Amino acid sequence: MTYSIGEVAKKFNLSVPTLRYYDREGLMPFVERTTNGTRVFQESDIELLKIIQCLKSSGMAIKDIKIFIEWCSDGDSTLQQRFDLFMKQKAVVEKQMEELNKTLQLIEHKCHYYQVALEAGTEDIHKNKKK
Amino acid sequence: MTYSIGEVAKKFNLSVPTLRYYDREGLMPFVERTTNGTRVFQESDIELLKIIQCLKSSGMAIKDIKIFIEWCSDGDSTLQQRFDLFMKQKAVVEKQMEELNKTLQLIEHKCHYYQVALEAGTEDIHKNKKK
DNA sequence: TTACCCGATAAAGCTAACTTTAGGGCAAGC
DNA sequence: GCTTGCCCTAAAGTTAGCTTTATCGGGTAA
């Protein structure tokens, strides 16, 4: 099973120019071409794209993902680097979740704050409470 | 207790130009000035900055935070809008946490994948397993 | 055979969120 | 009175991550 760039775009909910941009940036060096230059995506390219998407949503920059892709091309000699990268990225995401939790708590507090203010018809209800 | 822009910058781990940029963008219309134009931050400005930081880390754009700040200036007539905004943002952050969880799971899977590959000395261990 | 998709490239354009640069003011300490 | 360190503004520059535009080629259906 192979896919055209348009099919891949739909699958990943990305635009076709975005995929070509990723290719240009070196994120997809494995994608084959037909004789007239049309990209042909294999199942394995789809799998790699999933990982690229994953690293992207963990906040990794494209130029850093590119380095990982290069490590993939380099074979077993880079296993340690790739392991380290994912361990580092695991810590990064865990940190992000902590931060997001704090953010959520403040937002929930504000929801409650405005709920009470709405019921009272005025924000002053909070000022009075504090004093 | 009041603070200079430099003190606020340290407190929030932001640069001074960034704070001035926020001010220019309309995020800090309440901050007072001395006669010669120097900004003087009150405790209440610090509190508002915390909320701005919170909205920022939930992914809200500066121009949208500005709208919220304007609502704050408009008083009780905008209580409903502000409540709605935080409820919406709560949903946004919950969605982000879901996504981040999926990302974390894939990363953890990859950690394990490379752990096994490292122990075997080659990534081929996974290719063999699949077949 | 002409119209219409789909594919391709190169290059320019865009937006957000800052940062940097260039210029200047005021107050304290040596 | 001069240096140092903080403050100020306006305007230009930067970076990432795309998107848009212009121009082209190939395959198929009416």
Side-chain angles (χ1 to χ4, degrees):
Chain A
M1 183 72 188
T2 64
Y3 306 85
S4 73
I5 197 168
E7 288 165 345
V8 176
K10 256 180 213 159
K11 220 180 176 65
F12 283 91
N13 206 26
L14 292 169
S15 74
V16 169
T18 297
L19 282 172
R20 290 205 264 248
Y21 164 71
Y22 287 170
D23 195 6
R24 241 186 353 268
E25 294 300 309
L27 262 44
M28 292 151 47
F30 307 128
V31 176
E32 286 168 22
R33 304 284 191 124
T34 63
T35 40
N36 63 50
T38 299
R39 271 167 275 246
V40 179
F41 291 76
Q42 307 289 333
E43 215 55 72
S44 57
D45 297 323
I46 303 295
E47 289 308 307
L48 198 54
L49 250 173
K50 278 182 195 166
I51 294 163
I52 289 171
Q53 284 286 75
C54 166
L55 290 174
K56 249 170 45 79
S57 49
S58 78
M60 188 174 282
I62 284 178
K63 65 171 168 19
D64 294 324
I65 299 178
K66 182 195 169 151
I67 293 171
F68 164 72
I69 298 291
E70 285 166 358
W71 285 342
C72 290
S73 317
D74 291 344
D76 288 338
S77 63
T78 61
L79 282 176
Q80 186 70 54
Q81 279 110 305
R82 287 185 268 163
F83 175 69
D84 292 348
L85 179 141
F86 278 101
M87 288 299 278
K88 202 194 92 198
Q89 216 53 23
K90 180 171 177 265
V92 165
V93 171
E94 280 164 353
K95 185 81 185 292
Q96 284 174 358
M97 290 195 59
E98 250 179 66
E99 290 302 308
L100 216 48
N101 248 315
K102 278 184 209 161
T103 299
L104 185 57
Q105 277 173 33
L106 217 177
I107 287 176
E108 279 171 347
H109 175 264
K110 276 289 160 179
C111 286
H112 180 252
Y113 174 100
Y114 282 114
Q115 177 87 60
V116 169
L118 268 173
E119 277 160 15
T122 176
E123 222 178 325
D124 292 346
I125 192 82
H126 293 293
K127 284 172 194 158
N128 300 336
K129 258 186 193 167
K130 272 190 183 171
K131 292 285 159 188
Chain B
M1 184 72 189
T2 64
Y3 307 85
S4 73
I5 197 168
E7 288 165 344
V8 176
K10 256 180 214 159
K11 219 179 175 65
F12 284 91
N13 206 25
L14 293 169
S15 75
V16 169
T18 296
L19 281 172
R20 290 206 262 250
Y21 163 73
Y22 287 172
D23 195 6
R24 240 185 358 267
E25 295 299 309
L27 262 44
M28 294 151 47
F30 308 128
V31 176
E32 285 168 23
R33 303 286 190 121
T34 65
T35 41
N36 62 51
T38 299
R39 272 167 273 245
V40 179
F41 291 75
Q42 308 291 331
E43 217 52 75
S44 56
D45 297 322
I46 304 295
E47 289 309 306
L48 199 53
L49 251 173
K50 278 182 196 165
I51 295 163
I52 288 170
Q53 284 286 75
C54 166
L55 290 174
K56 250 171 43 80
S57 49
S58 77
M60 189 174 282
I62 283 180
K63 65 172 169 19
D64 294 324
I65 299 178
K66 183 196 170 151
I67 293 171
F68 164 72
I69 299 290
E70 285 166 357
W71 285 342
C72 290
S73 318
D74 291 344
D76 288 338
S77 64
T78 61
L79 282 176
Q80 185 71 54
Q81 279 110 307
R82 288 184 271 161
F83 175 69
D84 293 348
L85 179 142
F86 279 101
M87 288 299 280
K88 201 193 95 200
Q89 217 53 23
K90 179 171 178 266
V92 166
V93 172
E94 280 165 352
K95 183 80 185 291
Q96 284 174 357
M97 291 194 58
E98 250 178 67
E99 291 302 310
L100 215 49
N101 247 315
K102 277 185 209 160
T103 299
L104 185 58
Q105 277 174 33
L106 216 176
I107 288 176
E108 279 172 347
H109 176 262
K110 276 288 159 179
C111 286
H112 179 252
Y113 173 100
Y114 282 116
Q115 176 86 61
V116 169
L118 268 173
E119 277 161 16
T122 176
E123 219 177 329
D124 293 346
I125 191 84
H126 294 294
K127 284 174 193 155
N128 300 336
K129 256 187 192 166
K130 271 190 181 168
K131 289 287 154 187

